[in-house]
Amino acid sequence: MKILVVGAGPAGLMFASQMKKHKPDWHIDVIEKNTKEEVVGWGVVLPGRPPHHPANPLSYINDSEKLHPQFLEEFKLVHRNEPNLTSTGVTLCGAGRQGLVQALREKCESVGIKIYYESPLGTDPKSQCEEYDLVVLSNGVNQKTTHFSEVLTPQVEYGNNKYIWYGTKQLFNQMNLVFRTHGKGIFIAHSYKYSNEMSTFIVECSEETFASSRLDQMSDEQSAAYMADIFQTELEGHGLIGQPGLGWRNFMTLSHEKSYDGKFVLIGDALQSGHFSIGHGTTMAVVVSQLLVKALSTDSTVSAALENFDSRAMPLVKLFKDHANSSRRWFETAADRMHLDTAELTQSFEERRKALPDMQEALVRNLGYALGR
């Protein structure tokens, strides 16, 4: 079997390394459009403590402690400058995305998987993939599956809020959610530490707040300074650090009705993206990748494996989409809840996905099946 993985991010790397573990004689190549050094992002939220939690990608790399993961068990919501501290109910793990991706790449290379950098798909990708029995598309929300088939054309929906992903040297020891009224608008900050020295700091606001604050007229540096001033109480003098390509944008939800067509199959954000406020994006990459490994290890043909994978993965993907959209819409309508006190707002936040089937249970069930547990 000869497999091509398109995209050297968490989903593709998890699939490649785990597939090689189960089928060491299979040939697996990974192509990545960026250079080896170009990995965007700050911290991500993962479940549990490695190496014991199978949904945490740090459990699959050597010496995860070198990334200095941070374990978070408290949640703090701030409204009207009043904090409300509660338990998360589970252990969450903050980790740097750049370090995680590089460690997964090292893992792949250590088992004989070649990664070709600065190697984007060309103008005729089907011809480029002819020599492979299976092509795994894990190139994120910017992938262009219309090059392959109409079946894999993504459905795209943009959210109503603007958001931006910063890093900061201020360390947040809890999962933090801060609602801050500024002028006639509301800014919302999501923050948590992901190493001994850094935290993620995501800010979102409505289109109206974005326009009235004239953020569209500011440079990246001016925008970061403006946000740091609004959240100066939390940042305690620390600044906000941006990255090229991570400017203000509307959240893009990409989804599909089917995960595969012929020998082409989608995983990770290329299959389904979900709002950052539920924190399951990288976990979904792990679980869906393991489901694909399970199907290919079990079924005798690629077509049978992909049909099996689709029947297992798509219900989980649909549930993930429902949870993510429900959470996104809650934040997009946050202005309607600003009359609540801090405890009431915390309760509303905790109940925003309560009507849906339990996401955690679905993840555990599917990963248990994939790992034969």
Side-chain angles (χ1 to χ4, degrees):
M1 175 77 80
K2 194 170 184 181
I3 300 174
L4 176 65
V5 177
V6 181
L13 298 168
M14 275 295 305
F15 165 77
S17 60
Q18 292 301 295
M19 193 75 259
K20 192 71 171 178
K21 176 182 176 181
H22 285 267
K23 298 290 184 179
D25 57 327
W26 286 10
H27 181 94
I28 303 175
D29 290 331
V30 179
I31 60 172
E32 166 59 41
K33 67 177 182 178
N34 294 323
T35 68
K36 187 173 183 178
E37 292 73 29
E38 291 176 298
V39 181
V40 299
W42 300 100
V44 294
V45 178
L46 309 171
R49 294 179 180 268
H52 308 294
H53 201 297
N56 187 326
L58 297 181
S59 297
Y60 299 88
I61 66 175
N62 300 323
D63 191 18
S64 63
E65 286 302 311
K66 69 182 180 182
L67 299 184
H68 307 292
Q70 305 294 305
F71 301 106
L72 308 160
E73 297 182 337
E74 292 182 317
F75 168 70
K76 182 168 73 174
L77 185 146
V78 180
H79 175 44
R80 299 175 183 169
N81 293 321
E82 296 178 358
N84 187 28
L85 188 65
T86 60
S87 170
T88 59
V90 294
T91 297
L92 299 174
C93 173
R97 187 179 187 277
Q98 295 179 355
L100 169 63
V101 168
Q102 297 294 11
L104 288 172
R105 289 174 177 178
E106 291 173 9
K107 176 72 173 182
C108 285
E109 291 169 341
S110 72
V111 294
I113 297 169
K114 289 188 176 180
I115 303 175
Y116 298 90
Y117 296 98
E118 299 180 77
S119 300
L121 286 174
T123 55
D124 187 13
K126 280 197 172 182
S127 296
Q128 189 176 344
C129 299
E130 277 184 359
E131 65 179 289
Y132 294 94
D133 303 298
L134 175 68
V135 179
V136 179
L137 299 167
S138 60
N139 45 347
V141 294
N142 294 318
Q143 51 83 18
K144 304 295 183 183
T145 53
T146 48
H147 286 297
F148 296 92
S149 73
E150 290 299 319
V151 172
L152 297 183
T153 302
Q155 301 164 7
V156 176
E157 177 186 359
Y158 288 92
N160 295 326
N161 276 4
K162 292 282 189 182
Y163 81 100
I164 191 166
W165 190 6
Y166 289 120
T168 179
K169 291 186 178 180
Q170 170 70 320
L171 295 180
F172 296 96
N173 294 319
Q174 307 89 18
M175 298 295 297
N176 280 261
L177 184 59
V178 181
F179 295 82
R180 182 64 39 77
T181 300
H182 183 77
K184 295 182 179 180
I186 300 165
F187 290 93
I188 308 169
H190 311 244
S191 60
Y192 54 89
K193 63 181 180 179
Y194 66 84
S195 74
N196 293 338
E197 300 177 347
M198 292 292 295
S199 295
T200 274
F201 200 92
I202 299 173
V203 181
E204 66 173 310
C205 65
S206 68
E207 291 268 17
E208 293 76 18
T209 297
F210 183 81
S212 65
S213 301
R214 299 181 178 178
L215 283 159
D216 58 329
Q217 301 174 29
M218 297 183 192
S219 67
D220 291 344
E221 293 77 14
Q222 290 171 330
S223 178
Y226 188 80
M227 288 298 104
D229 183 61
I230 290 174
F231 292 101
Q232 59 182 292
T233 300
E234 287 72 34
L235 290 167
E236 297 179 344
H238 293 277
L240 294 174
I241 308 166
Q243 280 185 9
L246 291 181
W248 286 99
R249 67 188 71 188
N250 294 70
F251 189 85
M252 185 176 82
T253 299
L254 177 148
S255 60
H256 293 82
E257 294 298 321
K258 192 177 181 182
S259 64
Y260 76 99
D261 185 44
K263 67 178 183 180
F264 298 94
V265 62
L266 300 158
I267 61 173
D269 282 351
L271 174 60
Q272 172 70 61
S273 64
H275 197 255
F276 51 82
S277 59
I278 67 169
H280 285 311
T282 308
T283 304
M284 281 290 292
V286 173
V287 176
V288 171
S289 296
Q290 292 285 27
L291 285 172
L292 183 56
V293 170
K294 171 76 170 183
L296 290 165
S297 301
T298 303
D299 293 294
S300 58
T301 66
V302 169
S303 59
L306 296 187
E307 184 176 354
N308 183 4
F309 167 73
D310 190 79
S311 69
R312 290 276 181 176
M314 290 311 292
L316 178 63
V317 165
K318 172 66 165 57
L319 181 61
F320 172 58
K321 177 182 178 180
D322 291 344
H323 274 267
N325 283 345
S326 180
S327 186
R328 172 177 60 82
R329 294 186 190 108
W330 188 90
F331 282 98
E332 291 174 352
T333 57
D336 298 340
R337 302 177 190 86
M338 290 298 97
H339 66 282
L340 300 175
D341 64 30
T342 307
E344 291 170 334
L345 188 61
T346 302
Q347 182 178 0
S348 177
F349 170 79
E350 291 174 347
E351 293 177 349
R352 73 197 189 283
R353 300 185 283 137
K354 194 173 183 180
L356 294 167
D358 189 83
M359 186 71 202
Q360 188 67 26
E361 181 182 308
L363 287 166
V364 170
R365 182 174 64 252
N366 278 277
L367 187 56
Y369 162 79
L371 299 177
R373 298 182 178 179

